Amino acid sequence: MADKTVDQLPRRTYEKELLRLQTELVKLQEWVRAEGARLVVVFEGRDAAGKGGTIQRVTQYLNPRLARIVALPKPTGRERTQWYFQRYVEHLPAAGEIVLFDRSWYNRAGVEHVMGFCTQEEYQRFLRQCPIFERMLVEDGIVLRKYWFSVSDAVQQERFRRRLEDPLRRWKLSPMDLESIIHWEAYSRAKDTMLVHTDIPEAPWYVVESDDKRRARLNMIAHLLASVPYQNVPPPVLELPEPPPSTGYERPPRDLQTYVPDHSATL
């Protein structure tokens, strides 16, 4: 179902362009592997803004050994005593890898600050340290891209309502998501403050308008591809070998193995 009052991109146009961009993402992946590059993409934004769906489209055809999604749960008791950025550092890519953060260290600038899960001192320290941390990443050679997915309050509530009514997607809706409706303006102020402190030349923020998820996905992927100077890496030449002659192997009788029932035959 399309979001209400949203001028949605036609599906055929969307799917054709998405496939073209995903083909380019595979080329980007191969360039990252061949060059030993390290790419980090941060996905942040409002609840139900379409981050998860975009990440799925980005990684759909990528090699999971080279491109992985990091979506960390709430910190453990031990992690809460560490330097705040410490648990994110261990998930940064090695040479030839792509890491996509489905929410990231910016939790402290958003939900933790708005909901009181961190102290004011911890929040202010984050705003001071984050630009330094990201400059260190970029200086060390990591390619860092940060995307903020923006959605209107009306579209967000409509998406929440559909999740509430859909048993296949209800798991996406948490009590914390519903709290974001009550604290809409507080989250808006937190986002504005975050951008003021962390939109730095070395690692700028890019805002993705996402009332139309299709347009948001295409726009974000196209921007990522345009922002990285990747080149087409010729794939290795592979040929299917001729099967060797039979040595007399015979498959065991079927009744010696347990097969799953043929559910499809009942349809």
Side-chain angles (χ1 to χ4, degrees), residues 14 18 22 25 43 50-62 67-69 100 102 149 163 168-169 171-172 213 217 220-221:
Y14 162 72
L18 177 62
Q22 288 174 324
L25 284 170
F43 292 80
K51 300 180 297 295
T54 303
I55 292 172
Q56 289 176 10
R57 272 63 178 189
V58 170
T59 59
Q60 186 171 357
Y61 296 107
L62 300 186
R68 68 180 186 274
I69 302 168
L100 298 92
D102 185 357
F149 283 71
R163 288 180 181 183
L168 297 180
R169 295 191 297 169
W171 63 269
K172 291 186 174 184
K213 290 183 179 181
R217 292 165 186 168
M220 179 267 149
I221 297 173

Side-chain angles (χ1 to χ4, degrees), residues 189-230:
R189 294 188 185 97
K191 181 260 295 182
D192 293 343
T193 301
M194 179 195 76
L195 292 180
V196 167
H197 286 83
T198 63
D199 186 19
I200 59 177
E202 298 87 347
W205 276 104
Y206 298 102
V207 178
V208 182
E209 294 286 356
S210 61
D211 276 3
D212 179 357
K213 290 183 179 181
R214 295 175 185 172
R215 296 181 192 274
R217 292 165 186 168
L218 298 184
N219 292 341
M220 179 267 149
I221 297 173
H223 180 273
L224 174 64
L225 291 167
S227 72
V228 179
Y230 72 99

Side-chain angles (χ1 to χ4, degrees), residues 1-6 8 155 158-159 162 211-213:
M1 182 190 302
D3 294 317
K4 292 181 179 179
T5 72
V6 175
Q8 194 171 51
V155 171
E158 176 61 23
R159 290 175 182 173
R162 293 208 305 272
D211 276 3
D212 179 357
K213 290 183 179 181

Side-chain angles (χ1 to χ4, degrees), residues 122-262:
E122 289 171 331
Y123 171 64
Q124 293 297 333
R125 185 186 306 131
F126 170 84
L127 294 179
R128 292 193 304 270
Q129 290 186 350
C130 185
I132 301 172
F133 172 67
E134 292 181 350
R135 288 189 182 103
M136 291 173 62
L137 299 183
V138 174
E139 183 181 358
D140 200 61
I142 287 178
V143 180
L144 176 60
R145 297 292 179 269
K146 305 185 304 191
Y147 293 97
W148 175 270
F149 283 71
S150 178
V151 65
S152 66
D153 54 350
V155 171
Q156 183 192 59
Q157 291 185 41
E158 176 61 23
R159 290 175 182 173
F160 282 164
R161 187 173 296 107
R162 293 208 305 272
R163 288 180 181 183
L164 191 62
E165 297 170 352
D166 186 348
L168 297 180
R169 295 191 297 169
R170 188 165 183 172
W171 63 269
K172 291 186 174 184
L173 194 61
S174 69
M176 196 61 63
D177 293 329
L178 301 181
E179 287 283 342
S180 67
I181 298 176
I182 302 172
H183 299 283
W184 177 271
E185 290 191 0
Y187 274 108
S188 296
R189 294 188 185 97
K191 181 260 295 182
D192 293 343
T193 301
M194 179 195 76
L195 292 180
V196 167
H197 286 83
T198 63
D199 186 19
I200 59 177
E202 298 87 347
W205 276 104
Y206 298 102
V207 178
V208 182
E209 294 286 356
S210 61
D211 276 3
D212 179 357
K213 290 183 179 181
R214 295 175 185 172
R215 296 181 192 274
R217 292 165 186 168
L218 298 184
N219 292 341
M220 179 267 149
I221 297 173
H223 180 273
L224 174 64
L225 291 167
S227 72
V228 179
Y230 72 99
Q231 298 177 353
N232 189 25
V233 177
V237 178
L238 300 175
E239 294 184 3
L240 289 177
E242 291 292 331
S246 172
T247 59
Y249 169 78
E250 293 185 6
R251 185 175 180 177
R254 290 178 61 88
D255 57 9
L256 295 181
Q257 298 173 340
T258 303
Y259 288 81
V260 298
D262 189 3

Side-chain angles (χ1 to χ4, degrees), residues 21-38:
L21 292 174
Q22 288 174 324
T23 302
E24 291 300 313
L25 284 170
V26 173
K27 295 178 183 178
L28 170 64
Q29 170 193 257
E30 289 305 301
W31 175 83
V32 168
R33 179 193 59 77
E35 292 294 316
R38 293 171 291 164

